[in-house]
Amino acid sequence: MWDDGRINGPGGAGGAGGVRGRSGQRERLPGRYGVRGAGRRNRLAALALVGCGALLAAGCSSSGGARAGTGGSPPGSPPAGSASPGSSASARTPAAPAKGAVTVSGEIAKGLESPWGVAALPGGDLLVASRDKGTISRVRTDTGAVTPIGEVPGVAPGGEGGLLGLAVSPTFATDRLVYAYFTTESDNRIARMRYEEQRAPGQQLGAPDTVFRGIPKGVIHNGGRIAFGPDKMLYAGTGETGETGLAQDKKSLGGKILRMTPDGEPVHGNPEADSVVYSYGHRNVQGLAWDKDKRLWAAEFGQNTWDELNLIEPGVNYGWPEAEGKASKPGFRDPVAVWRTDEASPSGIAWAQGSIWMAGLKGQRLWRIPLDGAVPVAEPEAFLEGKYGRLRTVVPLGGDGLLLVTSETDGRGSPETGDDRILTLKVR
């Protein structure tokens, strides 16, 4: 059975080694949590298709306003510690205002099937992964056209596994490399493929080069988010596959945040010189983002009580399964913010306008966490609650722009005509 967020489901392989070479979230059974806000179809019909230039535009027509709410986490300061690689104390970012706002300014694309990972290409177009089909498509942001570029060989969809996170190389302009995190019959792994645009649509991905393998897989809790950090190293969030002991086992790759070179090797400066493990004690990490000061943030799923937003520092133990939420237990780092499990089920996150923005699956809302440095300045605010269903991925556009990807066609939503979608937001 897939994980319902209250009881752990069956785990997969719990292998310890990482040999170079459906989302792991607390989602619900199909149809069980598909309640929507009234009038959703009318609101969606009012959205205008926007072009690439509109992605960063500040003055777009409003569609479906924002409803503010509060989360379950009082403001609090995380303990002091070493900062994420590349962080800087200079040019301090001003504190975000306590109250924010969200305007849905357009719709980039619709009719997507089980979208999960999204990566922006130079020029503004997007690559989007289909978890269940195992394919990557290019979405043109000027026309909304969706064109398959290829299938990732070896993807074995099932439960919360499949083709998950995407990232483009920091040197994409010269190497044309696309990275993908995906589930196979034996493990979760990361491979890179050359994107060859001169070839025919559907055949534009070169043969995969596996850079990292051996991440435990399961029916649930496969993690899956990958991103290149400010240090140009590759980070990956993993899950413990329902086998909770993996999160505290430093020899296992499950329940961790990993940091590696683009070739899949441990990075100088990691907590252990021969290991890619960067932090541990995580249940299921699906959100990774850096703020303006290059601090790393991660969202993860709790079990019975609290979902979490964590400030990630190297070598720190974030507590699972011994601690959930703000447990204040010695030896474990408490999260910066927490939510009741029915309000969040967090997946992708992004930083914009001084706040972390977090997509909620079961919660069917977008959360804003306003920050002063690493400290929340007010309670989290909820926007778009129930208007677009389950929300999977948030992508920063720079300035006050975000992309928001829905997740209604993954077997656990209640899809309507046009789902799934990529929406453009103006935020503050």
Side-chain angles (χ1 to χ4, degrees), residues 30-50:
R32 189 174 170 192
Y33 294 96
V35 179
R36 304 295 190 84
R40 176 170 172 257
R41 284 190 175 90
N42 290 336
R43 279 187 294 271
L44 292 173
L47 291 175
L49 184 66
V50 298

Side-chain angles (χ1 to χ4, degrees), residues 327-372:
S328 299
K329 291 187 176 182
F332 303 135
R333 179 66 54 84
D334 277 353
V336 173
V338 296
W339 291 262
R340 294 290 181 181
T341 54
D342 287 347
E343 297 178 327
S345 297
S347 190
I349 61 174
W351 184 90
Q353 298 294 95
S355 299
I356 294 291
W357 300 84
M358 186 178 80
L361 288 159
K362 186 194 173 188
Q364 298 188 13
R365 67 199 78 177
L366 179 68
W367 285 101
R368 173 184 181 262
I369 305 91
L371 299 171
D372 182 1

Side-chain angles (χ1 to χ4, degrees), residues 7 34 107 133 136 146 321 331 333 350 393:
I7 302 172
E107 179 181 282
K133 294 173 66 178
I136 300 175
V146 180
R333 179 66 54 84
T393 299

Side-chain angles (χ1 to χ4, degrees), residues 53-386:
L55 291 179
L56 298 176
C60 297
S61 60
S62 173
S63 174
R67 189 180 75 79
T70 58
S73 175
S77 175
S82 57
S84 301
S87 62
S88 173
S90 62
R92 183 179 178 276
T93 303
K99 295 295 182 181
V102 173
T103 300
V104 179
S105 54
E107 179 181 282
I108 291 292
K110 61 183 180 180
L112 303 174
E113 184 176 336
S114 62
W116 211 100
V118 178
L121 293 170
D125 284 355
L126 307 172
L127 296 181
V128 180
S130 171
R131 185 196 69 182
D132 297 341
K133 294 173 66 178
T135 58
I136 300 175
S137 296
R138 180 168 183 158
V139 176
R140 287 190 56 174
T141 52
D142 57 348
T143 66
V146 180
T147 305
I149 68 169
E151 182 175 356
V152 179
V155 174
E160 296 174 4
L163 179 56
L164 303 175
L166 293 181
V168 297
S169 165
T171 53
F172 180 83
T174 55
D175 61 32
R176 315 299 293 175
L177 291 177
V178 176
Y179 287 71
Y181 181 116
F182 58 96
T183 311
T184 73
E185 294 291 351
S186 60
D187 65 358
N188 285 298
R189 63 183 61 177
I190 301 171
R192 59 189 176 191
M193 297 147 286
R194 189 177 301 277
Y195 178 22
E196 302 180 44
E197 295 182 57
Q198 71 277 12
R199 299 173 65 179
Q203 301 177 24
Q204 295 174 332
L205 288 178
D209 170 23
T210 300
V211 298
F212 198 82
R213 69 178 78 231
I215 302 169
K217 63 163 285 187
V219 177
I220 59 172
H221 298 182
N222 290 288
R225 195 70 62 181
I226 58 174
F228 282 95
D231 56 358
K232 298 184 180 180
M233 297 296 107
L234 181 62
Y235 293 72
T238 75
E240 33 78 304
T241 72
E243 296 186 18
T244 58
L246 299 184
Q248 290 294 319
D249 181 359
K250 290 185 180 180
K251 295 181 180 179
S252 171
L253 298 168
K256 309 293 190 296
I257 293 176
L258 311 179
R259 177 177 179 245
M260 65 190 76
T261 71
D263 295 325
E265 300 286 356
V267 181
H268 177 72
N270 278 2
E272 296 183 13
D274 60 348
S275 174
V276 298
V277 173
Y278 190 66
S279 64
Y280 66 109
H282 301 288
R283 187 170 185 257
N284 189 32
V285 176
Q286 281 193 13
L288 297 173
W290 287 264
D291 62 24
K292 189 175 181 180
D293 296 316
K294 302 180 182 179
R295 287 177 288 251
L296 173 59
W297 298 84
E300 70 176 275
F301 297 80
Q303 179 171 296
N304 294 321
T305 311
W306 299 112
D307 293 324
E308 301 178 358
L309 176 69
N310 285 295
L311 176 62
I312 302 302
E313 297 179 358
V316 171
N317 185 345
Y318 289 84
W320 179 254
E322 304 301 324
E324 180 183 3
K326 295 189 176 184
S328 299
K329 291 187 176 182
F332 303 135
R333 179 66 54 84
D334 277 353
V336 173
V338 296
W339 291 262
R340 294 290 181 181
T341 54
D342 287 347
E343 297 178 327
S345 297
S347 190
I349 61 174
W351 184 90
Q353 298 294 95
S355 299
I356 294 291
W357 300 84
M358 186 178 80
L361 288 159
K362 186 194 173 188
Q364 298 188 13
R365 67 199 78 177
L366 179 68
W367 285 101
R368 173 184 181 262
I369 305 91
L371 299 171
D372 182 1
V375 180
V377 298
E379 291 279 356
E381 291 181 278
F383 297 94
L384 309 178
E385 185 175 349

